[in-house]
Amino acid sequence: MLKFTRITIYIIYPVLVIGIMIFCLLTCGGGEKPSAGRQEAPEAVRGDAPRRFVPPVIPVELTRPAERAGYLIAHYWDNFDFSDTAYVHLPAITEQAFADYLDVFSHADRAAVEASVPAMLDRTVKEDTTGTVYRHFLKLYKNYLYDPNSPVRNEDSYIPVIRYILADSLSTEADRQRAAFELEMLLKNRVGDKATDITYTLAGGQTGRLYSLPKEYTLLFFYNPDCPACKETTASLASSEVINSLLLSGRLDILAVYPDSDLDLWKKHAGEMPPSWIISYDKGQALFGKKLYDLKALPALYLLDAFKHVLLKDASAQAVEQYLAPQLPPRSR
């Protein structure tokens, strides 16, 4: 599993820098109106001169933040020289600019993001004939948007990258097979879809089905009792006033499912879980065997409504709590 030592630095740093930059770019007028088409790269990024990233200038007539975000994301890489492979070895410039680019995603609409990603990758393929820059950006996309340890993971934003890999001319057959599998898993149990039904088994041997749980909300919690992050998530949920209020009022079920095969391990720790939860395991090993859910890392939390539509996918305990908090009466919040 990737360690985000360097990446974390470039995730945190943009909060201080790009947050100010994006706020000004998206909310402030001013600046010269750019000429039509791609702006010529300044001297600072050509030849042997010091390299730097130069963001585009947003036209002054675009005044609404959404419009400015749309322009910024469409023209973000206009001044970047994708043919210069030296940028691969300059993370303070390239990876910083990339992290800042991803930060714009939350300000732009989905269509703008889905158009910007392949347009940016098109330029890497066309301008760098070695493929070095293209492979570097693919790695950054995966590290930031797909890796389960990334604090800015966003599967919806990674899907355009996967689809680009499947259609490009540079990836190997092995790359495409891997991308096809990742896409298949990413498209499972997305927000808005009905969750895949599963059969679970309790310690006493009784079985049940996810779709048979009748509450207004169901929190599906895939976990491993030996996993430190799973223990942290369990503790966070167990101590949440929001979660406990909904459990006590009969509006929420928490179905904790152990998907692995070491039943002795599960039985050893099953009694440590909160008694108000449904503590179970996957006796038939269908979760992994049939790849019913994308469980590339545990824990995994799915919040479902009464009809088992996915409200939150692979969310944190904090995100679940924030989503459910408005559902409580004012005096219970």
Side-chain angles (χ1 to χ4, degrees), residues 2-4 6-8 10-11 53 76-77 80 82 87-102 105 117 120-121 124 131-154 157-158 161-162 165:
L2 285 170
K3 302 295 183 181
F4 279 83
R6 186 182 71 186
I7 291 176
T8 302
Y10 293 111
I11 288 291
F53 179 79
Y76 188 86
W77 299 101
F80 190 79
F82 288 99
Y87 277 115
V88 169
H89 308 291
L90 298 171
I93 298 173
T94 309
E95 193 166 341
Q96 175 71 74
F98 181 80
D100 297 347
Y101 171 62
L102 297 186
F105 284 16
V117 170
M120 177 263 206
L121 292 173
T124 68
T132 301
V133 176
Y134 176 57
R135 288 189 293 271
H136 180 67
F137 276 108
L138 288 184
K139 182 178 179 180
L140 290 179
Y141 273 117
K142 190 163 191 173
N143 287 351
Y144 277 74
L145 296 179
Y146 185 68
D147 190 279
N149 286 340
S150 170
V152 294
R153 178 165 58 98
N154 188 312
S157 295
Y158 189 61
V161 180
I162 290 289
I165 294 171

Side-chain angles (χ1 to χ4, degrees), residues 5-300:
T5 304
R6 186 182 71 186
I7 291 176
T8 302
I9 294 173
Y10 293 111
I11 288 291
I12 296 173
Y13 181 64
V15 173
L16 304 175
V17 178
I18 196 63
I20 298 171
M21 185 190 86
I22 289 177
F23 176 80
C24 292
L25 287 172
L26 299 185
T27 62
C28 306
E32 298 177 0
K33 181 177 180 179
S35 57
R38 181 182 172 187
Q39 301 172 36
E40 183 181 358
E43 292 294 332
V45 299
R46 297 202 304 267
D48 295 325
R51 294 168 173 83
R52 62 191 178 99
F53 179 79
V54 181
V57 178
I58 301 177
V60 294
E61 57 265 29
L62 300 181
T63 56
R64 294 190 296 116
E67 292 178 327
R68 298 176 71 82
Y71 183 93
L72 179 59
I73 202 168
H75 296 274
Y76 188 86
W77 299 101
D78 280 5
N79 299 321
F80 190 79
D81 185 2
F82 288 99
S83 68
D84 187 351
T85 58
Y87 277 115
V88 169
H89 308 291
L90 298 171
I93 298 173
T94 309
E95 193 166 341
Q96 175 71 74
F98 181 80
D100 297 347
Y101 171 62
L102 297 186
D103 194 66
V104 186
F105 284 16
S106 61
H107 301 273
D109 61 44
R110 176 55 45 191
V113 173
E114 291 181 352
S116 174
V117 170
M120 177 263 206
L121 292 173
D122 269 341
R123 284 195 47 210
T124 68
V125 171
K126 292 174 182 176
E127 295 182 24
D128 172 30
T129 57
T130 70
T132 301
V133 176
Y134 176 57
R135 288 189 293 271
H136 180 67
F137 276 108
L138 288 184
K139 182 178 179 180
L140 290 179
Y141 273 117
K142 190 163 191 173
N143 287 351
Y144 277 74
L145 296 179
Y146 185 68
D147 190 279
N149 286 340
S150 170
V152 294
R153 178 165 58 98
N154 188 312
E155 293 182 350
D156 285 339
S157 295
Y158 189 61
I159 286 174
V161 180
I162 290 289
R163 287 182 167 145
Y164 194 92
I165 294 171
L166 291 171
D168 72 20
S169 59
L170 296 179
S171 297
T172 65
E173 184 59 29
D175 291 333
R176 292 194 185 91
Q177 289 179 1
R178 188 181 307 110
F181 174 76
E182 290 173 350
L183 181 60
E184 176 189 357
M185 299 307 292
L186 288 174
L187 294 178
K188 290 178 181 288
N189 304 297
R190 299 180 75 187
V191 172
D193 293 348
K194 288 199 72 172
T196 302
D197 196 12
I198 60 174
T199 298
Y200 60 88
T201 302
L202 305 179
Q206 307 95 321
T207 62
R209 290 177 56 243
L210 170 64
Y211 275 30
S212 295
L213 298 177
K215 303 295 176 60
E216 184 178 349
Y217 298 101
T218 300
L219 183 58
L220 185 55
F221 176 29
F222 297 108
Y223 79 107
N224 186 315
D226 235 10
C227 152
C230 299
K231 293 178 181 178
E232 292 175 6
T233 298
T234 299
S236 182
L237 293 171
S239 64
S240 167
E241 293 184 12
V242 172
I243 299 295
N244 287 319
S245 294
L246 289 169
L247 284 168
L248 288 172
S249 65
R251 298 176 62 192
L252 171 70
D253 271 326
I254 297 182
L255 174 60
V257 183
Y258 172 61
D260 290 307
S261 58
D262 189 347
L263 192 55
D264 289 337
L265 174 67
W266 177 78
K267 288 181 176 179
K268 178 181 177 182
H269 295 280
E272 301 170 3
M273 302 292 281
S276 58
W277 298 9
I278 302 169
I279 313 304
S280 67
Y281 67 98
D282 179 18
K283 183 177 181 179
Q285 290 293 283
L287 286 165
F288 285 137
K290 297 182 180 179
K291 300 179 176 60
L292 300 182
Y293 282 77
D294 185 6
L295 300 179
K296 57 180 171 289
L298 297 177

